[in-house]
């Protein structure tokens, strides 16, 4: 009977389980890490290290995290953890954007459910309800965020509604006012009649299927018998504000005799006009648009009012009639023409979409427009035009139209007084240029150090937005936000720019929050001014007009580079974090932030400091389904992060992010996540195999959680010690060569924010170099060689290096698993995240000829494996160790080739062929030999047994 030698083998043994059970174990690990204060311990260990600051674009505090949050916060955590692993101190401060319309709207919805409106409570109570609502979601999101395994200063987050941040926002506004950048002007802005406020660009969505009432209207020409200008508009509610008709100067216009009247339209639109209205006829006259200047017409609604024909650069002949109805109160181009031509600019529509008191009634139908909702008035206006014979055609048009992202109701243009930041009219002292040009210089690096944009198209994207944007409207007519703490001097019409006043107000806000301003506007205004300031400036309270608007919420988050990041100190500066610096090393968010946070941060930073707030900007796409579609309720393709966490665990989700090219939209599907589960098992099994072959845990010398290395200097030293007896075997030399190349490429990709390429690099190393080559080739020596043999000692030393390298380089991406493996090796007090990336030694690299030799050897191995597979399929051989393979044109070390073929016998032949191995099969290692002892054991197995004895 053959003896059982299995118990004499050094088979892998480890407590590192095959099944990770991530959903259950990760939360406990996260809680333990936070409870032990690991983040601060790590920071303390890097007291003298260089800082690398990743600044957070604060999430909005109004809902649970979705997959977009998972993507962007995991990406930032990758950077923070990698920088710690590279030896930096990388403080990361979580924060929340708290003010603004979405939260105020939700509070108003709750009031309406209770039968109330915001007008039934005080502003102070409304704001308090908003604070409570925001804090509720901050608490929820805080837990969501921590579950993503993110490393952050959870004990010291920032909140834009915190009084110290609100005061910082006030100070930044004050600096802009001092520089002359802020002014009050009359401008048309997109206005939400439901929310009663001007809207920021980022708050606007588009309804692609909006239905409008379109009308063709004939306007009688003054002094021309039975001749009419024909206008076309999809906003009949704007007709009361008509002040002119615009034509294109170099366009041809024609008069068409329709039988009962003569109508003027653009020549190019004759066919479309005839089809739409049914009006056909002969051409009576043809002239150029510029020849129509000076013509006057009767107002579409009021016979006692006339308008004039003007030139308009925005006039096109794509649709309509080529004659454009001009209402300066309701359009950007219309407003510009109104200013140029001296037309009335007053807006006849109030804040909630009603006509003002001074709007005349419709004369022929005797309908009162004042206080009437504009949308309800449209049919009445159309009926008025019909009865006066001016209506040629009306129909319903489906087209794209701007709507509020909150109420989903249509927006309108209203010309109102708002506060703006000038893009062009003020020269900045630091740059000698205006805000627009200075910002573009920083974007593109024109004459100054530019921003590094990843991907590179980000520069052109934000650059085109800055280049074409109008002045920034920073005022909103709401309650929940930082007040525009401006006093207008009625004598000069200018805002008070004295920084003593601004500092005084900021001090009050820092103590009391934003209520400090509104609470003093009725009867206590003098408290908002430094003692004696009024008298010293020859003013009284009645000489000052306080502004009652609030700031655009993008101003809040856009100024965090000053009141969150900047370190304390510096002349005239007051900041709140001693561990910060400015500019930040990195801003990273979704690509929509080119018009949002990246945009407002750049403008506020250049405006007040002359530089960009960031050195690198990395943008990601969005999470879409497996077919590239956006998640939506109607498609039923959405996914909740909590469901994925319950099914897979966070390390697998992070691996999905790690493997994805985030420069474009990232696809999610159940199939993709199952593939990532397979990739996770690959990494875990590689770590498990190494741990099993390294044996029991190696306890650290001092046992402290802050010391991430094992006794002496670490795994690399173990390799050096093993090499003192003899050079490394060829296989170990090649593996170290591949490890060097892998880690070097890996860190290069990480530094370039190409995480998916770093993933590919390290996954291929595990798949090809470890599982596919080294483990298969070296398991015989590890299992069967005597413990003291140079070959086995070298293998163990190399595995120690590989283990440390894999753990440290995977730690930023699979934090729980890497730490679990590290503690299995070095004890429960060890923390891989306190370590640094394994140092690379150029001595590991093979020279060019040696690398070429290995390339040839591996090519031979692939051919030989194919040959053995064919023989196995024919039933001629079993495992590789039971095969004898002949290799054509053999010019390499046969023993080495046999090793990497898993113990196959190798001989030179005229062609590749495989058959059963020759000799005696050792019952312990199952390989074939020419000579065995009386027990059937080959020499090294016999030596190993003697050592154990």
């Amino acid at each position: 009977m053959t003896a059982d030698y299995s118990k004499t083998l050094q088979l892998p043994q480890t407590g590192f389980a095959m099944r990770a059970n991530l959903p259950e174990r990760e939360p406990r690990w996260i809680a333990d890490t936070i409870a032990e204060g690991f983040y601060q311990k790590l920071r303390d260990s890097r007291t003298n290290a260089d800082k690398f600051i990743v600044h957070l674009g604060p999430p909005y505090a109004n809902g649970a995290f979705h997959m977009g949050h998972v993507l962007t916060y995991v990406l930032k955590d990758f950077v923070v953890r990698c920088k710690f692993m590279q030896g930096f101190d990388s403080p990361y401060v979580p924060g929340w954007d708290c003010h603004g319309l979405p939260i105020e709207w939700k509070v108003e919805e709750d009031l309406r459910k209770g039968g109330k409106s915001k007008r039934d409570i005080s502003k102070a109570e409304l704001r308090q309800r908003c604070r409570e609502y925001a804090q509720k979601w901050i608490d929820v999101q805080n837990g969501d965020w921590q579950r993503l395994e993110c490393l952050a200063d959870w004990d010291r987050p920032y909140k834009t509604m915190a009084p110290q941040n609100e005061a910082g926002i006030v100070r930044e506004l004050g600096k802009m006012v001092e520089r002359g950048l802020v002014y009050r002007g009359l401008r048309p802005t997109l206005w939400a009649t439901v929310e009663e406020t001007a809207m920021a660009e980022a708050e606007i969505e588009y309804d692609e299927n909006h239905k409008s009432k379109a009308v063709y209207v004939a306007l009688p020409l003054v002094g021309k018998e039975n001749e009419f200008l024909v206008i076309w508009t999809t906003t009949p509610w704007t007709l009361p504000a008509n002040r002119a008709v615009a034509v294109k100067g170099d366009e041809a216009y024609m008069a068409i005799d329709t039988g009962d009247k003569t109508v003027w339209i653009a020549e190019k639109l004759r066919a479309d006009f005839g089809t739409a209205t049914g009006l056909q006829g002969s051409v009576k006259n043809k002239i150029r648009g510029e020849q129509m200047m000076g013509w006057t017409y009767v107002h579409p609604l009021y016979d006692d009012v006339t308008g004039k024909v003007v030139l308009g650069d925005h006039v096109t002949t794509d649709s309509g009639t080529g004659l454009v109805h001009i209402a300066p109160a309701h359009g950007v181009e219309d407003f510009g023409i109104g200013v140029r031509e001296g037309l009335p600019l007053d807006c006849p529509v109030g804040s909630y979409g009603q006509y003002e008191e001074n709007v005349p009634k419709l004369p022929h139908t005797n309908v009162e427009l004042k206080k009437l909702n504009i949308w309800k008035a449209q049919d009445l206006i159309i009926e008025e035009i019909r009865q006066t014979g001016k209506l040629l055609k009306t129909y319903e048009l489906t087209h794209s139209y701007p709507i509020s992202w909150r109420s989903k109701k249509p927006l309108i243009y209203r010309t109102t007084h708002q506060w703006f930041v000038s893009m062009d009219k003020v020269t900045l002292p630091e740059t000698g240029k205006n805000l627009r040009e200075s910002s573009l210089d920083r974007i593109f690096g024109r004459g100054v150090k530019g921003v590094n944009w990843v991907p590179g198209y980000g520069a052109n994207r934000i650059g085109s937005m800055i280049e074409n944007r109008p002045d920034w409207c920073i005022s909103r007519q709401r309650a929940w936000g930082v007040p525009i703490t401006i006093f207008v001097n009625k004598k000069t019409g200018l805002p008070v720019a004295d920084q003593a006043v601004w500092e005084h107000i900021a001090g009050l806000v820092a103590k009391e929050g934003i209520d400090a301003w509104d609470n003093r506007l009725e009867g206590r205004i003098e408290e908002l001014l430094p003692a004696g300031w009024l008298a010293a400036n020859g003013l009284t309270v009645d000489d000052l007009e306080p502004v009652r608007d609030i700031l655009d919420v993008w101003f809040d988050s856009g100024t965090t580079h000053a009141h969150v990041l900047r370190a304390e100190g510096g002349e005239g500066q007051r900041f709140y974090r001693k561990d910060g610096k400015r500019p930040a090393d990195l801003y990273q968010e979704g690509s929509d932030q080119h018009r949002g946070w990246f945009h407002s941060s750049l403008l506020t930073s250049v405006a007040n400091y002359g530089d960009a707030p960031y050195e690198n900007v990395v943008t990601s796409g969005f999470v879409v389904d497996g077919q590239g579609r956006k998640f939506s309720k109607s498609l039923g393709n959405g996914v909740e992060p909590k469901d994925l966490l319950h099914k897979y665990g966070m390390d697998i989700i992070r691996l999905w992010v790690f493997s994805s090219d985030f420069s474009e939209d990232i696809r999610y599907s159940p199939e993709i996540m199952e593939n990532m589960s397979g990739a996770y098992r690959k990494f875990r099994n590689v770590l498990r195999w190494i741990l099993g072959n390294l044996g029991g845990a190696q306890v650290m010398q001092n046992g402290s959680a802050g010391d991430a290395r094992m006794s002496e200097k670490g795994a690399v030293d173990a390799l050096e010690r093993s090499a003192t007896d003899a050079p490394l075997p060829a296989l170990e030399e090649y593996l170290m060569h591949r490890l060097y190349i892998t880690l070097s490429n890996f860190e290069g990709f990480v530094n370039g924010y190409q995480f998916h390429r770093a993933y590919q690099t390290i996954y291929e190393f595990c798949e090809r170099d470890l599982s596919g080559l080294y483990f298969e080739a070296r398991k015989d020596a590890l299992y069967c060689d005597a413990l003291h043999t140079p070959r086995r000692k070298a293998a163990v030393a190399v595995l120690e290096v590989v283990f440390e390298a894999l753990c440290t380089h995977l730690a930023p991406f699979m934090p729980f698993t890497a730490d679990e493996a590290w503690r299995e090796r070095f004890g429960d007090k060890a923390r891989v995240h306190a370590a640094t990336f394994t140092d690379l030694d150029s001595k590991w690299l093979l020279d060019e000829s040696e690398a070429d030799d290995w390339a040839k050897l591996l090519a031979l191995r692939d051919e030989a494996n194919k040959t053995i597979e064919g023989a196995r399929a024919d039933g001629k051989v079993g495992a590789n160790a039971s095969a004898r393979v002949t290799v054509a044109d053999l010019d390499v070390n046969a023993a080495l080739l046999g090793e990497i073929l898993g113990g196959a016998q190798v001989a030179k032949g005229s062609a590749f062929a495989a058959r059963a191995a020759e000799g005696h099969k050792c019952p312990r290692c199952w390989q074939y030999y020419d000579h065995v002892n009386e027990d059937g054991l080959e020499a090294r197995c016999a030596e190993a047994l003697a050592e154990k004895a």
Side-chain angles (χ1 to χ4, degrees):
M1 180 179 293
T2 305
D4 180 8
Y5 291 104
S6 61
K7 291 183 172 54
T8 71
L9 302 175
Q10 288 81 236
L11 296 176
Q13 294 184 1
T14 178
F16 189 72
M18 181 180 295
R19 293 181 58 84
N21 197 10
L22 298 176
E24 180 180 334
R25 298 175 64 211
E26 283 173 341
R28 295 200 299 267
W29 174 77
I30 293 167
D32 290 345
T33 302
I34 293 173
E36 76 172 68
F38 175 74
Y39 172 83
Q40 192 55 51
K41 290 179 181 179
L42 182 57
R43 291 287 319 282
D44 292 344
S45 72
R46 305 293 168 85
T47 302
N48 299 317
D50 292 337
K51 284 186 169 56
F52 189 97
I53 303 294
V54 178
H55 185 36
L56 169 75
Y60 199 67
N62 72 332
F65 276 179
H66 52 67
M67 290 301 291
H69 290 110
V70 172
L71 170 62
T72 190
Y73 297 132
V74 166
L75 285 174
K76 281 188 278 287
D77 190 61
F78 286 172
V79 179
V80 170
R81 288 184 180 273
C82 283
K83 290 305 173 182
F84 272 117
M85 283 288 179
Q86 290 175 331
F88 289 90
D89 175 21
S90 188
Y92 183 58
V93 184
W96 280 270
D97 205 0
C98 307
H99 299 126
L101 176 60
I103 288 174
E104 189 170 347
W105 181 255
K106 281 293 186 182
V107 170
E108 288 182 34
E109 281 186 340
D110 290 342
L111 284 170
R112 286 192 289 272
K113 290 176 183 176
K116 294 183 178 180
S117 78
K118 65 180 180 181
R119 294 177 177 83
D120 296 323
I121 60 175
S122 67
K123 269 191 177 182
E125 183 180 346
L126 179 63
R127 285 192 292 263
Q128 182 56 33
R129 289 181 181 225
C130 288
R131 285 189 195 95
E132 293 169 358
Y133 183 90
Q135 187 59 54
K136 177 187 76 173
W137 284 110
I138 287 172
D139 294 340
V140 171
Q141 290 186 8
N142 187 285
D144 291 345
W145 206 337
Q146 292 179 23
R147 182 63 184 92
L148 303 183
E149 299 177 356
C150 292
L151 191 65
D153 192 353
W154 302 115
D155 294 333
R156 293 194 305 158
Y158 75 89
K159 296 180 282 189
T160 57
M161 69 178 181
Q164 68 178 26
N165 291 112
E166 292 172 335
I169 295 164
V170 166
R171 289 187 175 99
E172 293 307 299
L173 176 62
K175 290 173 186 174
M176 285 192 183
V177 171
E178 182 185 29
R179 289 171 168 236
L181 287 160
V182 179
Y183 69 94
R184 180 165 59 181
L186 189 65
R187 293 285 189 279
T189 57
L190 272 173
W191 186 275
T193 57
V194 174
E195 294 91 335
E196 297 182 59
T197 185
M199 301 291 282
E201 183 183 353
E203 298 171 329
I204 300 166
E205 294 179 351
Y206 286 86
D207 178 1
E208 299 300 327
N209 296 300
H210 181 77
K211 299 185 186 315
S212 291
K213 298 285 182 67
V215 293
Y216 285 91
V217 184
L219 307 179
L221 278 166
V222 175
K224 295 182 182 288
E225 185 68 27
N226 207 32
E227 289 191 30
F228 300 82
L229 302 175
V230 181
I231 60 171
W232 174 81
T233 182
T234 59
T235 55
W237 63 266
T238 64
L239 289 175
N242 175 268
R243 298 293 180 265
V245 169
V247 297
K248 191 172 183 179
D250 59 357
E251 195 65 52
Y253 290 84
M254 59 172 49
I256 302 174
D257 184 356
T258 65
D260 62 341
K261 63 173 65 74
T262 298
V263 296
W264 284 90
I265 63 170
E267 180 180 18
K268 290 179 180 177
L269 289 164
R270 179 183 181 183
D272 291 347
F273 173 75
T275 301
T277 64
L279 296 175
Q280 305 288 343
S282 59
V283 177
K284 288 181 61 177
N285 195 4
K286 187 187 299 185
I287 59 176
R288 293 169 63 83
E290 59 192 5
Q291 295 175 271
M292 302 169 74
M293 296 304 95
W295 291 10
T296 58
Y297 64 90
V298 177
H299 193 278
L301 300 177
Y302 308 113
D303 293 341
D304 58 345
V305 177
T306 60
K308 62 180 180 179
V309 176
V310 298
L311 293 177
D313 293 336
H314 68 299
V315 176
T316 69
T317 53
D318 296 334
S319 60
T321 65
L323 294 102
V324 177
H325 148 60
I326 298 299
H330 298 304
V332 176
E333 293 89 356
D334 303 45
F335 179 83
I337 289 173
V339 171
R340 186 191 72 202
E341 300 291 336
L343 303 175
L345 303 174
D346 52 302
C347 185
V349 177
S351 63
Y352 56 91
Q354 83 292 353
Y355 288 109
E356 300 283 26
E357 293 278 351
N358 60 351
V359 176
K361 68 180 179 180
L362 300 176
H364 295 278
T365 56
N366 207 34
V367 171
E368 285 285 359
L369 289 180
K370 63 182 181 182
K371 296 185 180 180
L372 195 62
N373 179 273
I374 60 173
W375 305 112
K376 293 180 179 178
Q378 286 207 118
D379 288 339
L380 300 174
I381 290 172
I382 292 171
E383 182 59 28
E384 173 77 13
I385 301 169
R386 188 192 312 276
Q387 291 197 20
T388 60
K390 297 173 184 175
L391 181 66
L392 300 182
K393 177 72 175 180
T394 181
Y395 63 97
E396 190 173 77
L397 175 71
T398 300
H399 63 134
S400 177
Y401 192 88
I403 61 173
S404 165
W405 71 328
R406 192 53 47 187
S407 66
K408 307 301 181 184
K409 298 299 183 181
L411 305 176
I412 66 171
Y413 271 105
R414 285 185 73 224
T415 293
T416 57
H417 282 95
Q418 301 288 345
W419 288 91
F420 297 88
V421 173
S422 172
M423 295 295 296
D424 301 305
K425 294 180 180 178
V426 178
T427 299
L428 303 178
E430 296 87 356
T431 66
K433 297 181 181 180
N434 62 35
L435 180 55
R436 189 187 311 279
E437 288 300 317
S438 300
S439 298
L440 291 171
D441 286 348
R442 289 291 172 181
I443 291 170
F444 295 110
R446 300 189 309 206
V448 294
K449 181 182 178 182
V451 176
N452 176 40
W453 301 91
V454 180
Y457 65 72
N460 289 331
R461 181 175 169 84
I462 192 172
S464 64
M465 293 176 180
I466 295 289
E467 192 168 24
N468 296 305
R469 67 157 299 134
D471 287 352
W472 180 9
C473 178
I474 59 171
S475 51
R476 299 292 182 269
Q477 292 66 46
R478 305 295 291 178
W480 179 230
V482 176
I484 296 180
T485 53
I486 289 177
F487 283 111
V488 177
N489 185 330
K490 295 178 183 178
K491 293 181 178 180
T492 65
L494 298 175
V496 172
D498 189 338
Q499 291 303 289
V501 173
W502 285 93
E503 185 55 41
H504 180 78
I505 296 169
L508 293 173
V509 172
K511 294 176 182 177
E512 304 172 24
I514 55 177
D515 290 329
W517 178 258
D518 274 1
N519 287 348
R520 291 173 170 82
L521 292 185
E522 307 300 334
R524 298 167 58 196
I525 286 179
E526 66 278 359
E527 294 180 17
L528 292 169
L529 300 163
W533 187 87
L534 285 169
N537 287 273
L539 299 170
T540 68
V541 169
D542 293 336
D543 293 323
L544 300 179
E545 176 195 348
V547 176
R548 297 176 184 271
D549 293 341
I550 65 168
L551 281 166
D552 173 12
V553 70
W554 288 109
F555 197 95
D556 290 18
S557 59
T559 54
T560 53
H561 59 82
H563 54 86
V564 174
L565 277 187
R566 189 182 283 267
E568 290 185 355
E571 185 177 353
Q573 297 173 354
R574 180 190 304 235
F575 306 110
Y576 308 103
R577 296 194 68 92
K578 294 181 180 180
D579 56 358
K581 73 172 186 177
R582 186 189 177 285
D585 293 284
L586 176 67
Y587 277 34
Q588 186 276 314
E589 297 294 337
S591 58
D592 57 332
Q593 296 308 313
H594 287 118
R595 72 169 184 167
W597 187 55
F598 301 152
H599 195 116
S600 62
S601 297
L602 180 68
L603 291 183
T604 57
S605 179
V606 174
N608 280 345
Y609 304 100
D611 63 3
Y614 35 65
E615 294 188 354
N616 299 276
V617 174
V618 174
T619 55
S620 61
F622 302 97
V623 180
V624 296
D625 71 10
Q627 299 177 47
R629 302 173 302 177
K630 292 182 179 179
F631 291 145
S632 71
K633 291 182 180 179
S634 61
L635 292 175
N637 62 348
V639 62
E640 292 294 331
K642 65 178 183 295
D643 295 334
L644 292 185
L645 285 165
H646 180 73
K647 183 173 183 179
Y648 296 107
M650 192 60 215
D651 267 13
I652 294 177
I653 299 173
R654 288 174 69 103
L655 204 60
W656 163 65
V657 177
F658 185 24
S659 68
S660 301
D661 182 358
F662 65 80
S663 65
E664 52 193 33
D665 288 346
I666 296 179
R667 297 195 177 202
Y668 160 83
S669 70
E671 294 76 17
I672 290 172
M673 291 308 299
E674 286 303 318
N675 287 338
M676 296 322 304
S677 295
Y680 174 80
R681 286 192 293 273
K682 167 59 67 177
F683 285 123
R684 186 173 185 89
N685 286 336
V686 164
L687 292 172
R688 186 170 184 269
W689 195 91
I690 297 174
L691 283 168
N693 282 283
L694 289 177
Q698 173 122 24
V699 180
M700 295 179 299
Q701 191 172 28
N702 61 9
S704 71
D707 182 3
R709 301 292 191 182
M710 60 176 145
S711 60
E712 300 187 40
K713 295 182 182 178
V716 176
D717 288 320
L719 176 62
E720 292 173 352
R721 292 195 305 277
S722 75
T724 57
D725 299 327
L728 286 177
L731 180 57
E732 276 66 28
E733 284 187 340
Y734 176 71
L735 186 66
M736 295 306 297
H737 169 79
R738 287 291 306 138
L739 181 65
Y740 183 98
I741 292 173
T742 297
L743 299 187
S744 178
N745 289 339
F746 180 99
E747 293 182 31
F749 292 140
V750 163
N751 290 335
Y753 309 106
Q754 294 180 295
F755 298 125
H756 67 292
R757 298 189 68 182
Y759 166 85
Q760 291 165 0
T761 297
I762 202 164
Y763 183 84
E764 287 173 4
F765 177 75
C766 290
E767 174 75 15
R768 186 183 64 188
D769 296 305
L770 292 180
S771 296
L773 174 64
Y774 188 75
F775 291 175
E776 186 65 25
R778 204 43 100 214
K779 66 181 180 182
D780 174 71
L782 288 165
Y783 297 175
C784 301
D785 281 9
L787 295 178
H788 72 277
T789 59
R791 183 171 69 166
R792 193 179 191 286
K793 287 172 64 179
V796 169
V798 164
L799 286 178
E800 287 181 348
V801 179
V802 171
F803 174 78
E804 180 179 321
L806 288 181
C807 273
T808 57
H809 285 75
L810 288 173
F813 308 97
M814 299 162 53
F816 168 76
T817 303
D819 199 55
E820 179 192 9
W822 194 261
R823 285 182 286 117
E824 174 68 19
R825 177 66 178 151
F826 301 128
D828 285 341
K829 292 185 178 180
R831 291 290 180 268
V832 68
H833 302 289
T836 56
F837 286 150
T838 296
D839 295 330
L840 305 184
D841 189 338
S842 60
K843 295 177 182 178
W844 299 350
L845 283 172
L846 299 176
D847 61 36
E848 188 174 347
S849 63
E850 291 173 318
D852 287 343
D853 288 343
W854 267 99
K856 295 173 184 175
L857 182 66
L858 292 173
L860 285 174
R861 170 182 176 264
D862 291 342
E863 264 324 299
N865 267 325
K866 290 178 185 177
T867 303
I868 295 172
E869 279 296 324
R872 184 177 297 118
D874 293 337
K876 296 178 180 179
V877 300
N880 276 24
S882 67
R884 178 180 180 85
V885 61
T886 58
V887 180
D889 213 13
L890 180 65
D891 60 354
V892 294
N893 187 317
L896 181 56
L897 182 54
E899 259 189 341
I900 64 175
L901 280 171
Q905 294 177 347
V906 176
K908 185 174 180 179
S910 58
F912 282 96
R915 54 186 174 81
E918 299 174 354
H920 305 280
K921 181 180 180 181
C922 175
R924 183 170 180 269
C925 67
W926 294 6
Q927 292 196 19
Y928 286 80
Y929 298 91
D930 292 335
H931 304 287
V932 295
N933 67 11
E934 62 274 13
D935 295 321
L937 297 171
E938 54 95 8
R940 58 86 182 247
C941 282
E943 180 185 7
L945 286 179
E947 180 184 73
K948 286 182 175 293

